[in-house]
Amino acid sequence: MARILLLDDSPTQTLYMQRQLQRLGHEVCHVGALSEALGLVAAEVRPEADAEIGAEVKSEPIDLALVELTLLQDNGFDVGLSLLRAGVSKVLLLSGARRETDDIWAQALGLQGVLSRPLTAQRLGARIADVLAGVQTRVQPGVQTRGRTDVQ
Amino acid sequence: MSSEMMASVEPGQPLLSHETSVWRAALRQCAEQLESSAALLLRDREANLNIHAPTEAATGKSEPALAEVLQNIERVAGLCRLFGARRAAVFCADMAALFTQLVRTSDPIPTATLELAGVSLLQVTRFLMDLRPPVSDAEFDVATLNALRLAIGKSPLPPPRSGAPAVQDGPWNACHAPDIRALLLQRVRGAQAILGQTSGAVAPADELSSEIAPELSCELRAISSVLQVLGPQWFGFIDADDCLDAGQAVVLLLGLELQLSVSPCPSNCPSNCTSASPSAGRLPAVDCLLLDAQQQWRVLASQRLTTLVLPLAEAPLTQGAISERVGIEFLALCQSLQLAGDVELGLAPRDEWPLLLAAGVRLARHLLCWQRVAISMDGGISPTLAMRGRQLLLRLQLHALDCLSPENLPPTPAWRRQLTQTLIRDCQHFERLQRTVWRRRLAAEYSPDAELLCTFKEELRQTLILLERSLSCPQGDALCTVVARLAQNALVIGEVLLHEVLEAMRQLLTVLLERQASVGAEDLALLESLREQLLGRMHEQPSLAEEALVSLQALIGRRMAHLQAQPHADITDVLVDVTPATTLNAAAAMVAEKRMDGGRAAQTRVAITQLPVYLAQNIRELLSAAERLESRADFATLNRVLIVELRMLATGARALQVYRVARLSAVLAELHQALAVPMTAAAVIASDITADSSPDPDLLVQLVEAHRLLRRGLNQAAARREVDNPRDIIAGLYRRLDQWQTPPLLAATLASPLRGSESDWHFQHNAECYHDFRREAEELVESIESDLGALLSGAAGAVSALLPDKQHDKLQSILHALHTLKGNARLFACERLAALCHRCERALLAAKDAVRVQPGAVAEIDRAVHYSSGRGVQPHAGAFGQSRAGPLCPLGTLPQMAPLVSELRAALDELPLAASAPTVPLTPLPPEHSIAIPAASLQRIAALVGSARTQVRAALDVLQSCRHEPDAARLSLLEDLLIEQERCVVQLDEEVAGSRLVSFSRVTPRLQRLAGRHSNQLDRQLRLRVQNDSLLMDRLLLERLVAPLEHLLRNAIDHGIEPLSVRRACGKTDGGTVLLDMQERDDQLVLELRDDGAGISNDALLACAARLGMADSEEPPEQRLQWVLLPGFSTRTQATQDSGHGIGLAMVNSVVTALGGRVEVESTAGIGSCFRLLLPRWDIASKPV
């Protein structure tokens, strides 16, 4: 049971993810853009801002942010960094078009990693549990070794 | 059997190939074996004919003999089946039964039976000896068969119907050798077909189902017997009974297929005897490939294949999936095969390549996709899919190996075609199957209900609108994002095929993005038709037919293949001069090395895919350091870190072709470098960095902003989005650098007073040239005045009469004019005018920034204007921003521009109208000039002078004493002293001359910097190479040459090196090369500046000549090139800030002429130009300073 911030600008994906996460027993708050997310996070950092945002926003801390990598207006790396800076402790990116380097890059930026679609409830649940428990998922070893040999 | 037929077969022995003769021999050997073993058995039996019950010993002895006979008969039966001699096969089976009966029975055997066995044996041997299956088979008529059947107690066959079809002679009637290989392959494929029927139904680890097993086993046995007959030296034997596991059978059969198709002539391959089954150990075919040492890539490919085959063969079916690594490997293999296709090694027929590879790549993609499903869907992969997938994979490998096979035995084209077709059919089948499985899983996972569907439809509608908008002004990354989103959503509602098509499209767009290629019309058409399909989907029209999507997918695939066939743009050079001394780590060094070696395109690609990893490894350092810049503490340490990281980043990003990031990081690196090394000459920096070694707040703000932009750019690049253009920030940073770097670097390095008096010797010009400059300056000042007037009239009325963008335009045009004027004034040594222009420019720039950035900066313009309002005070750059007035309206500062401009006018009016005016120097050397002499040299000179002086004094003393009483000893002493003194003077001479000679390499960094910066500003990629710059030349000569060289360099970048798009269109490398070479030839010094740019077009020359009204346009082309040196001559119709005025080259010419040399121009339109400066080496050295 965790409080999860979902940032995606696709209603379909959002709806689906919301359902999945709720099914997994998490509390989800969903936003469509970085500015909204920052407002939300700010409200948590400064509880007095609650009144400005609205009563429905609770001031519990956000445990994890799930951010879509390819947003229409922005890119997930930037958004993730901003969220980290704003005080969100863990950020996991979601991507439909996985590339080998995404994970590496995300982790270099200090994000928790990239979760690739299609997702199943099981996989989603396992990864979220890992991240919340502080387990850093290693980048695919196969990919790396191949790269190394090729370079040589 | 008709006589004609016999006649057609009989004449002469058919022409046998080597291979066929080997087989013939094998057959004959088999027949002999059968005959001898059976004859032995029969003789034994005959000898014991009367013994009712054979003794134990006899039975024991005859059993092995029987086994041998049976084995031989089995082989023959297999052969018969292979050749389609069905009756012969039946006959063989019966014969085997007869022999078994003969041996095992305890009853007395009738002689007739024994005879029958003998006769049948003869018949079979004859069949083998003269193998013409259809004809020979006919000899086993029903009567013969029935005789045998009766003997073993089977019911006789019915008599043949009359008018049975004539036996077809098939391939045996011609002179062709029987294609046993092809026959075998057919057989193998038959077995695969049997297996294929089952694979749908088989559970993973099951034995084959009972009805299939015997059939398959029979087939396998037939195959194995044939193989045995054809020689164990060829394949080894296959134990048919071991192959009843479905997975093994698949592997075995495909392995066989593989070997049959690629293995060279049997007798050539003795090494294969030992290999028991194709899946164990290295494939013989691969061995053959390995022998071919010259074809390294083949070895590589075959090794990869081996590594792929082994895990496949070993992976038990229960575990379902092949690992992802295998999938990736496979994809890589496909790519390398494609690469190999480019190499053109005379492999497969070219026309089949695309088809084959398309299938292969498609399959590989699907396998990857399938892997992903397998992984992401948690549950194991469906066994059916696994089986199919593996079958396909192996078949594709077979294809690959086939293509890789040494040229000695290409399989028949028909066979190849058949295999390709099979492959494609299999692929399609696999895809369909996979889609179904996937759809089912997705439906279970996502359980799309009404709400989800409704949301999807709404989003689809909006996204399609977005797509339409994107299509009207196509931008790669935006399109890519939209398509990716559509693809993901299609998956949510279970549209698997649609998802695949969209994914393919996304990949296509990604490739375009990665190559920095624009979205072509072709791609747009694809997107358009995709959109139509989606529209159809939205309105639930049946137009979303599977066929349409499949054909669309094929189109996308073709476009992709086309794209991949095009050569990838190579890595361009790194502009920023990376000093090896700085702590660049191995990665950057590697990149730099790669850069040097442009030829290895394949490696370049590797570098591109791997570089994000290298960047990522250091990026955290960089980011955190940049983060902490704001806190200001520990600035020096951070600065050091940043210099290293930024340089690495610049190198890496350029290799990745993310030029915007590269450019920004290069500038930042330069800036940090400047902050780190407070040069004594550039005292400004010292004032910038205060006691606690942290720079002033303005600079910090600027730096942090730049770093933020850089980080953003990096993220955008990582997300494959378009990187924001950092042009403004870069310009700002360069301005900073410019501020610090006055006085110019050359002043520091050569320690010669370059700035200052109007009587600077720097430029020598002739009257015409000066006249042009004067005229242009007039025009420029006029335009500045009028523009400023327009602006002021707006500002004065408090309400701007001009629209904001109009204002901006006016400001821009003033800036432009000022810049041009400044450049020209510098060229003509009108330092006062140039300085004025510079001040005006800076004031205006600050004003412009203030409009855009922050009101606080307006203070700067205020200050600047204050400074520049005459008095000739050199503005102190570091003083800017220290005092801050309250925010002003930027336009409000413009009235203060007016005095500045009028001063400009005054300065201009002061300029003489003609070059003959007294203030303009005509003599090449100014009356006063100083040079710097190294301290060590000076000490030596002082010492020499000192000793010369003492010698002179001593000599005078001696001379004095000689006057009184001259004697030989004193005279000789005097002589010694004089000789010694002469030696001193000679040394002194040498020392003085030596201190005047300097190496050209002193100015190389300056030129490099100019090249880097100038090309950066103009968005050009290039590399300046300076060769032989260790050449020594006279200090003064070098000083005078710097300006012309700089101009030539700027010229090369401006006019020569084309923009990236143009270069690509011409098929040139991305990065241009400018080569500066110098050498001494006899008494001449030759400096050559060569570029590989656009060259000088003859048409433009003529056009300009016509414009200038030059009469002699009939000159030969080589002569015409010299026109560019004429004042006012410019091939550009539009002048820019830096060039196009027809002044620069004229200046170069006049400087060189004044030095007693000349300029030569060579150029080929489209290839490049070369400017050669020929100078007398001695000119200045021989003249008094």
Side-chain angles (χ1 to χ4, degrees), chain B residues 758 770 774 832 903 905-913 919:
Chain B
E758 297 257 343
Y770 180 80
R774 184 74 171 71
R832 195 162 113 79
E903 197 179 345
R905 163 63 75 183
L908 180 67
D909 289 340
E910 269 174 40
L911 284 183
L913 283 168
T919 44

Side-chain angles (χ1 to χ4, degrees), chain A residues 66-98:
Chain A
L66 292 176
V67 178
E68 165 65 41
L69 180 58
T70 49
L71 296 164
L72 288 180
Q73 300 300 334
D74 220 327
N75 80 76
F77 292 119
D78 256 355
V79 172
L81 264 185
S82 305
L83 285 178
L84 277 191
R85 205 92 47 68
V88 177
S89 57
K90 281 162 184 164
V91 178
L92 203 52
L93 297 178
L94 296 168
S95 165
R98 201 180 89 82

Side-chain angles (χ1 to χ4, degrees), chain B residues 365-614:
Chain B
R365 206 180 54 233
H366 279 285
L367 280 174
L368 276 180
C369 230
W370 161 50
Q371 288 305 329
R372 205 169 63 168
V373 179
I375 293 161
S376 60
M377 289 306 177
D378 305 317
I381 189 87
S382 122
T384 321
L385 268 185
M387 173 101 89
R388 283 265 175 222
R390 192 179 309 188
Q391 209 171 347
L392 275 174
L393 193 58
L394 273 171
R395 208 194 284 278
L396 197 72
Q397 273 165 1
L398 162 66
H399 248 291
L401 258 191
D402 173 24
C403 299
L404 292 171
S405 77
E407 53 294 337
N408 53 3
L409 195 78
T412 57
W415 177 82
R416 198 191 291 273
R417 211 168 305 124
Q418 195 184 350
L419 196 57
T420 311
Q421 279 163 6
T422 324
L423 184 65
I424 289 167
R425 209 188 46 231
D426 281 0
C427 257
Q428 285 167 351
H429 187 73
F430 178 70
E431 283 168 14
R432 221 167 293 135
L433 198 66
Q434 188 198 359
R435 260 179 228 130
T436 324
V437 173
W438 203 359
R439 194 170 299 145
R440 216 173 298 141
R441 278 174 186 267
L442 283 171
E445 184 62 40
Y446 291 109
S447 57
D449 54 12
E451 191 191 356
L452 198 65
L453 282 177
C454 188
T455 319
F456 168 75
K457 232 181 257 177
E458 175 58 23
E459 188 177 347
L460 182 62
R461 199 177 59 79
Q462 284 176 359
T463 319
L464 283 179
I465 295 171
L466 209 63
L467 181 63
E468 195 176 2
R469 211 177 298 149
S470 304
L471 279 176
S472 60
C473 56
Q475 237 189 342
D477 54 345
L479 283 173
C480 198
T481 315
V482 170
V483 172
R485 151 167 310 198
L486 284 171
Q488 287 308 309
N489 287 342
L491 209 53
V492 172
I493 58 151
E495 290 273 3
V496 177
L497 183 58
L498 187 61
H499 167 76
E500 277 166 15
V501 177
L502 285 164
E503 260 306 275
M505 192 67 224
R506 187 192 63 79
Q507 278 170 6
L508 179 66
L509 287 170
T510 309
V511 169
L512 285 175
L513 268 179
E514 280 173 1
R515 298 193 174 189
Q516 297 195 317
S518 54
V519 184
E522 213 173 322
D523 310 307
L524 285 179
L526 284 174
L527 278 167
E528 189 56 50
S529 46
L530 246 180
R531 198 177 72 88
E532 276 165 26
Q533 291 293 326
L534 287 165
L535 274 175
R537 171 71 187 79
M538 200 168 75
H539 299 120
E540 312 264 355
Q541 279 167 10
S543 73
L544 193 76
E546 193 164 323
E547 294 79 51
L549 278 177
V550 168
S551 68
L552 198 56
Q553 195 176 15
L555 280 177
I556 294 174
R558 203 171 303 154
R559 169 82 179 128
M560 191 79 157
H562 178 68
L563 208 61
Q564 278 167 350
Q566 284 174 354
H568 200 289
D570 68 350
I571 287 183
T572 43
D573 295 323
V574 179
L575 276 178
V576 181
D577 204 358
V578 181
T579 8
T582 53
T583 47
L584 282 173
N585 71 12
M590 192 195 77
V591 175
E593 195 184 311
K594 288 247 160 63
R595 167 166 64 95
M596 299 301 171
D597 189 351
R600 289 179 292 181
Q603 292 214 353
T604 309
R605 279 180 222 191
V606 175
I608 286 174
T609 51
Q610 288 308 310
L611 264 161
V613 184
Y614 290 118

